[in-house]
Every structure is written in C-alpha cells, then in structure tokens.
Amino acid sequence: MGRVAAMGRPPQVWDYWRPIGSGGGSGIVELGTVRGLDVALPVHFHREDQLTFVLAGRRRFVIAGDLREAGPGEGVHIPAGTPHRSLCGADEVVCVNLYTPPGLYAAPEAIAGLAGHWRRTGGLGWPDLTRIAEDHRRPIGTGVEPASAFTGCDAWDSVGDAARRAGMSREGYSRRFRKHHGVPPHAFGLQERLNEARLLLRAGESIAAVAADTGFTDQSHLGRCFRRAFGVTPGRYRAG
C-alpha cells in the first residue's frame, strides 16, 4: 500500500485493515484511516488502545468529558475502555488510527516517533507505522490494564438484573454505573456487544452468525448499530 497521505479512496470516510503477517511479532490489532468532513461518531469505546495521528485537518474528541484536539503532525492517545466521541471540524480530516493491546506501546513516545518521521518525509506508509510502533513496545509485564468493568454487569444483562445482582435499586445502580464508566449501563452493554462483534468479524465469522452470537435481532440491526459506532458497515469492516 502507498503512503497514507496520498491515499485517494474517498467514497468511504472510514476504512480498516489488519496488518499482513501481524502474527509474526507486531502487536497491532488493526489500522484505520479516516478521511472527510463528516468524521463525527457518538460515544463509544474500544477494547484496544487507540492512537490517532493526524495528517491533515484537525481531529476533535471529547474524552471523559474533556475536549482534545490534534492538528497535522500531532496525535491523541485514547486508552482502552475509555468512552469518547469524535466531532466534525471546519476542514477535511485525514488521519490514521492504530488499535493495539492495552498498554503494549508507550503512546507519547510512539506519537513523537510518528511526528518526527512525518516531518522528515511528508508521509507515512503502513511499514513506517508498524516499525515506529514496535520501536516503542513496552517490556513484557509492564503493560497497563484496561479500565476495570463495573462488577455485576455484563453485556447481555438487563439493567434490572444487574442492579438486583449488585443489591441496588435500578436508579442507584444506573447513577453509580454512569459515574464509574461515563455512559449509562444500556449504552455500555450495547458497546460491549459491538466490540465483541468487531472481534468476531476480524476472525472471519459471517455477519449473520455474529449478529446472533452478540444478541442483535438480525443483520440489519447489527449493521445499523455497528455503522453508527464505527463509521463503517460490518461487511466492509470484515473485508478489511
């Protein structure tokens, strides 16, 4: 693949790829590109760390209630399990996302490495991204654990069931859950199911099987929720 800065594919704003040969040592789960004006996404979170590096325009995120911005040659690190949403800006955005296991890479140093390479060469190819990330891999055993889940809840629970298991009222449980996670229980549960769908699609499962396995009514229901959260259809994501 050519340099990310020169990619000319824009009918679709969002695209995802899994690095070829990633089983041979790279810890990068997948790579994504974002290009366009309409780059807004609602509140969601990932099981992986997200490292966003901007090539053109400005990316704007609300992360745990705080506005974060990055312009060309700058990056943003969003730790695994952190609710965030992205906002549109005035100019077209071109950026790349790296999704990696929680805490595997030193994010500030990796962003600085990407910035230095981009300033020197004017672009970034996939080999550059993976090489620079690997240059900043943390030693085994020093990784950071993802944000802990609120005990008593899983993605397929109803809020009432989770509250009863926790020995709390539905309202009290919801308030405590939202304070802990930044999103209400039903939104957290939906996002966990979507993240599970993301994992199964990466493994090559059929969309119909993924919809059934993750508790969606059908493929259309999964497709609507998936595209709203991640900017791309399950079929296009799976083909990455």
Coordinates of all heavy atoms in Angstrom, one line a residue, residues 105-155:
Y105 N 2.2 -0.5 24.0 CA 3.1 0.5 23.5 C 3.1 1.8 24.3 O 2.1 2.1 24.9 CB 2.8 0.8 22.0 CG 2.9 -0.3 21.1 CD1 1.7 -1.0 20.7 CD2 4.1 -0.8 20.6 CE1 1.8 -2.1 19.8 CE2 4.2 -1.9 19.8 CZ 3.0 -2.5 19.4 OH 3.1 -3.6 18.6
A106 N 4.3 2.4 24.4 CA 4.4 3.7 25.0 C 3.8 4.8 24.1 O 4.5 5.2 23.2 CB 5.9 4.0 25.4
A107 N 2.6 5.2 24.3 CA 1.9 6.0 23.4 C 2.5 7.4 23.1 O 2.7 7.8 21.9 CB 0.4 6.2 23.8
P108 N 2.9 8.2 24.1 CA 3.5 9.5 23.8 C 4.8 9.4 23.0 O 5.0 10.2 22.1 CB 3.8 10.1 25.2 CG 2.9 9.4 26.2 CD 2.8 8.0 25.6
E109 N 5.6 8.4 23.3 CA 6.9 8.2 22.6 C 6.6 7.8 21.1 O 7.2 8.2 20.2 CB 7.7 7.2 23.3 CG 8.3 7.7 24.6 CD 7.4 7.5 25.8 OE1 6.2 7.1 25.5 OE2 7.8 7.8 26.9
A110 N 5.6 6.9 21.0 CA 5.2 6.4 19.6 C 4.7 7.6 18.8 O 5.0 7.7 17.6 CB 4.2 5.3 19.7
I111 N 3.8 8.5 19.4 CA 3.3 9.7 18.7 C 4.5 10.6 18.3 O 4.5 11.1 17.1 CB 2.3 10.4 19.5 CG1 1.0 9.6 19.7 CG2 2.0 11.8 19.0 CD1 0.0 10.1 20.7
A112 N 5.4 10.8 19.2 CA 6.6 11.6 18.8 C 7.4 11.0 17.7 O 7.9 11.7 16.8 CB 7.5 11.8 20.1
G113 N 7.5 9.6 17.7 CA 8.2 9.0 16.6 C 7.5 9.1 15.3 O 8.2 9.4 14.2
L114 N 6.2 9.0 15.3 CA 5.4 9.2 14.1 C 5.5 10.7 13.6 O 5.7 10.9 12.4 CB 3.9 8.9 14.3 CG 3.6 7.4 14.6 CD1 2.1 7.3 15.1 CD2 3.8 6.6 13.4
A115 N 5.5 11.6 14.5 CA 5.6 13.0 14.1 C 7.0 13.3 13.5 O 7.1 14.0 12.5 CB 5.4 13.9 15.3
G116 N 8.0 12.8 14.1 CA 9.4 13.0 13.5 C 9.5 12.4 12.1 O 10.0 13.1 11.2
H117 N 9.0 11.2 11.9 CA 9.1 10.6 10.6 C 8.2 11.4 9.6 O 8.7 11.7 8.4 CB 8.5 9.2 10.6 CG 8.6 8.5 9.3 ND1 9.7 7.7 8.9 CD2 7.7 8.4 8.3 CE1 9.5 7.2 7.7 NE2 8.3 7.6 7.3
W118 N 7.1 11.9 10.0 CA 6.2 12.6 9.1 C 6.8 13.9 8.7 O 6.8 14.3 7.5 CB 4.8 12.8 9.8 CG 3.8 13.5 8.9 CD1 3.1 13.0 7.9 CD2 3.4 14.9 9.1 NE1 2.2 14.0 7.4 CE2 2.4 15.1 8.1 CE3 3.8 15.9 9.9 CZ2 1.8 16.4 8.0 CZ3 3.2 17.2 9.8 CH2 2.2 17.4 8.8
R119 N 7.5 14.6 9.6 CA 8.1 15.9 9.3 C 9.3 15.7 8.3 O 9.5 16.5 7.4 CB 8.6 16.6 10.6 CG 7.5 17.2 11.4 CD 8.1 18.2 12.5 NE 9.0 17.4 13.4 CZ 8.6 16.9 14.5 NH1 7.3 17.0 14.9 NH2 9.4 16.3 15.3
R120 N 10.0 14.6 8.5 CA 11.2 14.3 7.7 C 10.8 13.9 6.2 O 11.5 14.3 5.3 CB 12.1 13.2 8.3 CG 12.8 13.7 9.5 CD 13.8 12.6 9.9 NE 13.3 11.3 10.1 CZ 12.8 10.8 11.3 NH1 12.8 11.6 12.3 NH2 12.3 9.6 11.4
T121 N 9.7 13.1 6.1 CA 9.4 12.5 4.8 C 8.1 13.0 4.2 O 7.9 12.8 3.0 CB 9.3 11.0 5.0 OG1 8.1 10.7 5.8 CG2 10.5 10.4 5.7
G122 N 7.2 13.6 4.9 CA 6.0 14.1 4.4 C 4.9 13.1 4.2 O 3.8 13.4 3.6
G123 N 5.1 11.9 4.7 CA 4.1 10.8 4.6 C 4.3 9.7 5.6 O 5.4 9.6 6.2
L124 N 3.4 8.8 5.6 CA 3.5 7.6 6.4 C 3.0 6.4 5.7 O 1.8 6.4 5.2 CB 2.7 7.7 7.8 CG 3.3 8.6 8.9 CD1 2.3 8.8 9.9 CD2 4.6 8.0 9.4
G125 N 3.7 5.3 5.5 CA 3.2 4.1 4.9 C 3.0 3.1 6.1 O 3.4 3.3 7.2
W126 N 2.3 2.0 5.8 CA 2.0 1.0 6.8 C 3.3 0.5 7.4 O 3.4 0.3 8.6 CB 1.2 -0.1 6.2 CG -0.2 0.2 5.8 CD1 -0.9 -0.4 4.8 CD2 -1.1 1.2 6.3 NE1 -2.2 0.2 4.7 CE2 -2.3 1.1 5.6 CE3 -1.0 2.1 7.4 CZ2 -3.4 1.9 5.9 CZ3 -2.1 2.9 7.7 CH2 -3.3 2.8 6.9
P127 N 4.3 0.2 6.6 CA 5.6 -0.3 7.2 C 6.2 0.7 8.2 O 6.7 0.3 9.3 CB 6.5 -0.5 6.0 CG 5.6 -0.8 4.9 CD 4.4 0.1 5.1
D128 N 6.0 2.0 7.9 CA 6.5 3.0 8.8 C 5.7 3.0 10.2 O 6.3 3.0 11.3 CB 6.4 4.4 8.2 CG 7.0 4.6 6.9 OD1 8.2 4.0 6.8 OD2 6.5 5.2 6.0
L129 N 4.4 2.9 10.0 CA 3.6 2.8 11.2 C 3.9 1.7 12.1 O 4.1 1.8 13.4 CB 2.1 2.8 10.8 CG 1.5 4.0 10.1 CD1 0.2 3.6 9.5 CD2 1.3 5.1 11.1
T130 N 4.0 0.5 11.6 CA 4.3 -0.7 12.4 C 5.7 -0.7 12.9 O 5.9 -1.0 14.1 CB 4.0 -2.0 11.6 OG1 4.8 -1.9 10.4 CG2 2.6 -2.1 11.2
R131 N 6.7 -0.2 12.1 CA 8.0 -0.1 12.6 C 8.2 0.8 13.8 O 8.8 0.5 14.8 CB 9.0 0.3 11.5 CG 10.4 0.5 11.9 CD 11.3 0.9 10.8 NE 10.8 2.1 10.2 CZ 10.9 3.4 10.7 NH1 11.5 3.5 11.9 NH2 10.5 4.4 10.0
I132 N 7.6 2.0 13.7 CA 7.7 3.0 14.7 C 7.0 2.6 16.0 O 7.5 2.8 17.1 CB 7.1 4.4 14.2 CG1 8.1 4.9 13.1 CG2 7.0 5.4 15.4 CD1 7.5 6.1 12.3
A133 N 5.8 1.9 15.8 CA 5.1 1.4 17.0 C 6.0 0.4 17.7 O 6.2 0.4 18.9 CB 3.8 0.8 16.6
E134 N 6.6 -0.5 16.9 CA 7.4 -1.6 17.5 C 8.6 -1.0 18.2 O 9.1 -1.6 19.2 CB 7.8 -2.6 16.5 CG 6.7 -3.5 16.0 CD 6.1 -4.3 17.2 OE1 6.9 -5.0 17.9 OE2 4.9 -4.2 17.3
D135 N 9.1 0.1 17.7 CA 10.3 0.8 18.4 C 9.9 1.2 19.8 O 10.8 1.5 20.6 CB 10.7 2.0 17.6 CG 11.5 1.7 16.3 OD1 11.9 0.5 16.2 OD2 11.6 2.5 15.5
H136 N 8.6 1.3 20.1 CA 8.2 1.8 21.4 C 7.3 0.8 22.2 O 6.5 1.2 23.0 CB 7.4 3.1 21.2 CG 8.3 4.2 20.6 ND1 9.3 4.8 21.3 CD2 8.3 4.7 19.4 CE1 9.9 5.7 20.5 NE2 9.3 5.6 19.3
R137 N 7.6 -0.5 21.9 CA 6.9 -1.5 22.6 C 7.4 -1.6 24.1 O 8.6 -1.5 24.3 CB 7.1 -2.9 22.0 CG 6.3 -4.0 22.6 CD 6.8 -5.4 22.1 NE 6.3 -5.7 20.8 CZ 5.3 -6.6 20.5 NH1 4.7 -7.2 21.6 NH2 5.0 -6.8 19.3
R138 N 6.5 -1.7 25.0 CA 6.9 -1.8 26.4 C 7.5 -3.2 26.7 O 7.0 -4.2 26.1 CB 5.8 -1.5 27.4 CG 5.2 -0.1 27.3 CD 4.0 0.0 28.2 NE 3.3 1.2 28.1 CZ 3.6 2.4 28.7 NH1 4.7 2.4 29.5 NH2 2.9 3.4 28.5
P139 N 8.4 -3.3 27.7 CA 8.9 -4.7 28.0 C 7.7 -5.5 28.6 O 6.7 -5.0 29.1 CB 9.9 -4.4 29.2 CG 10.3 -3.0 29.0 CD 9.1 -2.3 28.4
I140 N 7.8 -6.8 28.4 CA 6.7 -7.7 28.8 C 6.6 -7.6 30.3 O 7.5 -7.5 31.1 CB 7.1 -9.2 28.5 CG1 7.2 -9.4 27.0 CG2 6.2 -10.2 29.2 CD1 7.7 -10.8 26.6
G141 N 5.3 -7.5 30.7 CA 5.0 -7.4 32.2 C 4.8 -6.0 32.6 O 4.5 -5.7 33.8
T142 N 5.0 -5.0 31.7 CA 4.9 -3.6 32.2 C 3.7 -2.9 31.6 O 3.5 -1.7 31.7 CB 6.1 -2.7 31.8 OG1 6.3 -2.8 30.4 CG2 7.4 -3.3 32.5
G143 N 2.8 -3.7 30.9 CA 1.6 -3.1 30.2 C 0.6 -2.6 31.2 O 0.7 -2.9 32.4
V144 N -0.3 -1.7 30.8 CA -1.3 -1.2 31.6 C -2.6 -1.9 31.4 O -3.0 -2.2 30.3 CB -1.5 0.3 31.3 CG1 -2.6 1.0 32.1 CG2 -0.2 1.1 31.4
E145 N -3.3 -2.3 32.4 CA -4.5 -3.0 32.3 C -5.6 -2.0 31.8 O -5.6 -0.8 32.1 CB -5.0 -3.6 33.7 CG -4.1 -4.7 34.2 CD -4.1 -5.9 33.2 OE1 -5.2 -6.2 32.7 OE2 -3.1 -6.5 33.0
P146 N -6.6 -2.5 31.0 CA -7.7 -1.7 30.6 C -8.6 -1.3 31.8 O -8.5 -1.9 32.8 CB -8.5 -2.5 29.6 CG -8.1 -3.9 30.0 CD -6.7 -3.9 30.5
A147 N -9.4 -0.3 31.5 CA -10.3 0.2 32.6 C -11.1 -1.0 33.1 O -11.7 -1.8 32.3 CB -11.2 1.3 32.0
S148 N -11.2 -1.1 34.4 CA -11.9 -2.2 35.0 C -13.4 -2.1 34.8 O -14.0 -1.0 34.8 CB -11.7 -2.3 36.5 OG -12.1 -1.1 37.2
A149 N -14.1 -3.2 34.6 CA -15.5 -3.2 34.4 C -16.2 -3.1 35.8 O -15.7 -3.5 36.8 CB -16.0 -4.5 33.7
F150 N -17.4 -2.5 35.8 CA -18.3 -2.4 36.9 C -18.8 -3.8 37.3 O -19.4 -4.5 36.5 CB -19.4 -1.5 36.6 CG -20.3 -1.1 37.8 CD1 -20.1 0.0 38.5 CD2 -21.4 -1.9 38.1 CE1 -20.9 0.4 39.5 CE2 -22.2 -1.6 39.1 CZ -22.0 -0.4 39.9
T151 N -18.5 -4.3 38.5 CA -18.8 -5.7 38.8 C -20.4 -5.8 38.8 O -21.1 -4.9 39.2 CB -18.3 -6.0 40.2 OG1 -18.7 -5.1 41.2 CG2 -16.8 -6.1 40.2
G152 N -20.8 -6.9 38.4 CA -22.3 -7.2 38.5 C -23.0 -6.9 37.2 O -24.2 -7.1 37.1
C153 N -22.2 -6.5 36.1 CA -22.9 -6.2 34.8 C -22.1 -6.9 33.7 O -20.9 -7.0 33.7 CB -22.8 -4.7 34.6 SG -23.5 -4.2 33.0
D154 N -22.9 -7.5 32.8 CA -22.2 -7.9 31.6 C -23.1 -7.5 30.4 O -24.2 -6.9 30.6 CB -21.9 -9.4 31.5 CG -23.1 -10.3 31.5 OD1 -24.1 -9.9 30.8 OD2 -23.1 -11.3 32.1
A155 N -22.6 -7.6 29.2 CA -23.2 -7.0 28.0 C -24.6 -7.5 27.8 O -25.4 -6.8 27.1 CB -22.3 -7.3 26.8

